[in-house]
Amino acid sequence: MVTIADVARHAGVSISTVSYVLSGKRSISADTERKVRDSIHDLGYQPNAGARALASSKSNVLALVVPLRSDMNLPVLMQFATGVVTAARAHEHDVLLLTQDEGVAGLRRVAGTALTDAIIVMDVEQRDPRIDVLRRLHQPSVLIGVPEEPSGLACVDLDFAAAGGECVDHLCDLGHRSLGFIGAPTPVYERGTSFARRTLAGFQSAAERRGVAAASVACDPSYAGVRDALAELRAKTPDLTGVIVHNEDALAPLLDIVQAEGSAIPDDLSIVAICPDQHAQNLPVPVSAVTIPTEEIARNAVEMVMHALDSGMDAEVRLLSPELHIRASSGPAPVSAPREANAASPDTDQARP
Amino acid sequence: MVTIADVARHAGVSISTVSYVLSGKRSISADTERKVRDSIHDLGYQPNAGARALASSKSNVLALVVPLRSDMNLPVLMQFATGVVTAARAHEHDVLLLTQDEGVAGLRRVAGTALTDAIIVMDVEQRDPRIDVLRRLHQPSVLIGVPEEPSGLACVDLDFAAAGGECVDHLCDLGHRSLGFIGAPTPVYERGTSFARRTLAGFQSAAERRGVAAASVACDPSYAGVRDALAELRAKTPDLTGVIVHNEDALAPLLDIVQAEGSAIPDDLSIVAICPDQHAQNLPVPVSAVTIPTEEIARNAVEMVMHALDSGMDAEVRLLSPELHIRASSGPAPVSAPREANAASPDTDQARP
DNA sequence: TTGAAAGCGCTAACAG
DNA sequence: CTGTTAGCGCTTTCAA
């Protein structure tokens, strides 16, 4: 193994000079710097991470806590994770993977042993048992998501309430007067998952503000689940003309079901989603959607962590503004309510073009 | 921060005694051990990871390289990752996340700086540029997947060739004489992804051995993609009665499409999949499937790494035997070819019950 | 602009 | 069975 002493000897300088060339923490003559860099290159020197961590009290590693529940949306999760890794690498940091099942003990372990410098937690719930621990930890942390009581914590997320509102406004502006909301599976709400509840709340208050009829349902991401959800919405608001979907997995089945029953999108039914842009684009009908800017959220999380690391933590809650991309799935409300009989007699009408 | 010296002082013993209590590397009197453990507990001592790594030349961290391509199957990926973390934790190790886009440089970096003790690589391709680097690295590594030339490397995977064969045998035993194979998206084969090719080869040679008609298609995981794939298979083998699916995302659409055209599963068409068991179970029709034992593969990978770490690396290729779980989607072949006209006139027959 | 040297907290000989 | 101590490779004063 090549050590810093080998480099120093090879370059004919002291150990500290090599160290300072690497860290840039004091000025070095151009000549010395060149000699040192050449030696580093010639010898293939790579500084030892453990020694560095011990001497500097910085591991240059971030912990990332990912949920492993299967009802979470995997693609979104994956995008967050790779976004965090990429952003961390841009700041010379690596990422240690913690699964949620180690729970609070995992947080205490990595912080207590100084394995990591800071912690990023995904999929935060409204009343999350981990946030108390995080507050007490002598290590900065950033949550992706916003708990009920975020005081003293740094959080980033999409402004899901505004996102829900923006979808409502878009549909209302198109003349829709009766809206439905297809949400995540029931357990997600029962757990109090922050983003799911905030979106729903945003939908409801915007609908109220605009004075339109509105109903919402949780939705299992299976065909049957989506069929049931749509039927339930129609039962609650018989002249439904616009649906907002905050459930990626429900989107493809929904389009298929609507098409199979002979309804046209957006002529009979407008659909707006809240999901990653790429997913909305690649459906059979390109779907109008509020983007979930996973990569941007991840980058923000890492930047907040980096800031906390060298300027002290501040308990900012950063909510990114939603951006609606209008595509083919949303259009003007039909002139007359298109399917008054539908909720009552689902089996008529099948032969429609 | 509490150090080992604090613990030693508090317990009235030497530093090394504390260290040996922790490592178990020499015998300690029951009395001393109790005193030390009490002090550790009272002071809340946690050993410093950097100091440990420096002194012992072991970081107790494994690198895990995950692919970030979106055409990879996310649930499977996630299961591997959590499986590796869980298994690693059971061996007192943590997991550092590397994304594939850092490529070979990431491997060199973590090994060169001694950030990690060993490397686990997922999604290995047949001729993977990383394997040469891994061979040269002074750090053990295990591949999940098998490259074309695995000599000198440790690999674990499901025996995908045998899995393909087992599906063929199952269908042939049920009297099917004309089989189709719906595979991964085209790019997966073009990249030379190891498991995809091995499965296909296993399918083909088994079909030949059993003397049955066989055709295969790559398949995009969209509705249209699956529709096309099925049509292509039927064009190639007009009296198709059994389909083997090695493409998780195609499964749900396939069931839906087959049902929509009025065919019964398994009466008209038998379906067998190669995918994680949980996924096969939760479809509208429970699907007969060869399990992809992600958790077991992950555990094996970690165990091989651990073995390499304390007994030296051996270049074993460990292929796990496939296990077929028979469910409702596969049954005896229909007595007469059920839909001779189908490939030619897809629009007839729609009114069938 | 550079060098010498004192730790950082722990492991593992070595000595008893 | 236990204690003393020399490093591990680096960062960062302190001194020049």
Side-chain angles (χ1 to χ4, degrees), chain B residues 79-289:
Chain B
Q79 287 175 27
F80 273 128
T82 62
V84 167
V85 173
T86 305
R89 289 300 309 135
H91 294 265
E92 312 268 53
H93 281 249
D94 271 287
V95 174
L96 196 84
L97 195 57
L98 292 184
T99 55
Q100 216 154 42
D101 60 351
E102 244 203 300
V104 150
L107 302 178
R108 284 201 238 267
R109 184 171 55 81
V110 297
T113 61
L115 229 194
T116 60
D117 294 334
I119 301 177
I120 296 177
V121 181
M122 294 176 51
D123 188 35
V124 176
E125 297 170 14
Q126 304 226 258
R127 331 189 44 124
D128 203 301
R130 296 170 297 182
I131 65 181
D132 260 347
V133 177
L134 289 174
R135 258 192 277 254
R136 270 186 256 286
L137 236 46
H138 292 295
Q139 186 157 110
S141 56
V142 172
L143 313 184
I144 294 182
V146 184
E148 198 169 85
E149 187 41 85
S151 68
L153 291 167
C155 310
V156 218
D157 210 348
L158 173 64
D159 188 340
F160 278 99
E166 190 144 334
C167 293
V168 170
D169 282 332
H170 170 58
L171 289 173
C172 289
D173 291 348
L174 288 166
H176 296 263
R177 307 289 307 156
S178 190
L179 305 180
F181 181 93
I182 293 183
T186 306
V188 173
Y189 295 97
E190 284 176 345
R191 282 207 310 274
T193 303
S194 151
F195 72 90
R197 295 199 168 192
R198 284 181 286 140
T199 311
L200 183 54
F203 164 78
Q204 285 162 336
S205 72
E208 200 165 330
R209 172 166 46 76
R210 301 287 300 235
V212 298
S216 61
V217 289
C219 177
D220 212 60
S222 61
Y223 264 72
V226 177
R227 253 184 280 261
D228 292 351
L230 186 57
E232 191 180 334
L233 283 184
R234 282 173 168 158
K236 286 179 177 170
T237 56
D239 45 351
L240 185 80
T241 61
V243 174
I244 294 164
V245 183
H246 187 200
N247 182 330
E248 247 180 273
D249 298 326
L251 227 31
L254 179 62
L255 295 180
D256 219 68
I257 289 164
V258 170
Q259 184 216 307
E261 72 179 21
S263 298
I265 297 172
D267 296 342
D268 298 323
L269 188 71
S270 281
I271 293 179
V272 183
I274 299 169
C275 72
D277 231 32
Q278 205 203 347
H279 189 249
Q281 273 168 344
N282 289 331
L283 291 161
V285 179
V287 168
S288 300

Side-chain angles (χ1 to χ4, degrees), chain B residues 4 7 14 83 197 213:
Chain B
I4 197 172
V7 176
S14 73
R197 295 199 168 192

Side-chain angles (χ1 to χ4, degrees), chain B residues 32-54:
Chain B
T32 313
E33 168 145 9
R34 197 187 37 68
K35 279 192 304 190
V36 171
R37 293 212 180 276
D38 286 351
S39 297
I40 287 175
H41 179 262
D42 291 353
L43 300 178
Y45 168 68
Q46 296 185 272
N48 180 285
R52 232 176 201 187
L54 177 56

